[in-house]
Amino acid sequence: MLPCLNKTLLGVDCYGCGGQRAAILLFQGNFKEAFLMYPAIYTLVIFAIFLIINIKYKFKGDFKVKIAFIFLNASVMIISYVFKMSQFYNLTN
């Protein structure tokens, strides 16, 4: 798998850390473990499916849906990152 440059250089997880492992777990059928590894995996998969469908079928308002998905994914990533880092720092202190 690709190494995280942020974690390699700075020693701190980034917002995407765990995404590759979560995707592999998802493809293996380990749905709970995939969510625990990277909570944004399901919103990202739904967004990717929407984008693939939107390539073939254009509809009015698709731009607003894309923006909503972007904000949803960013929110889930930020919330899960803050939660993960707060647990990490509580363990190290």
Side-chain angles (χ1 to χ4, degrees), residues 11-92:
V12 179
D13 286 352
C14 69
Y15 291 106
C17 279
Q20 291 180 59
R21 291 173 283 166
I24 290 170
L25 288 169
L26 189 66
F27 289 130
Q28 291 174 345
N30 299 323
F31 303 112
K32 181 180 176 184
E33 290 83 3
F35 177 77
L36 293 174
M37 178 67 63
Y38 190 67
I41 189 72
Y42 291 113
T43 56
L44 287 171
V45 167
I46 293 169
F47 186 36
I49 291 169
F50 173 79
L51 290 175
I52 291 168
I53 291 171
N54 191 237
I55 290 171
K56 181 154 176 107
Y57 302 106
K58 302 289 183 189
F59 60 91
K60 191 174 185 176
D62 62 346
F63 181 75
K64 291 180 182 179
V65 174
K66 290 176 190 175
I67 296 298
F69 267 120
I70 289 170
F71 280 115
L72 174 67
N73 285 315
S75 299
V76 172
M77 287 178 182
I78 291 169
I79 291 168
S80 64
Y81 182 76
V82 168
F83 183 73
K84 179 171 46 171
M85 288 294 108
S86 68
Q87 286 184 331
F88 175 74
Y89 287 117
N90 284 338
L91 292 175
T92 57

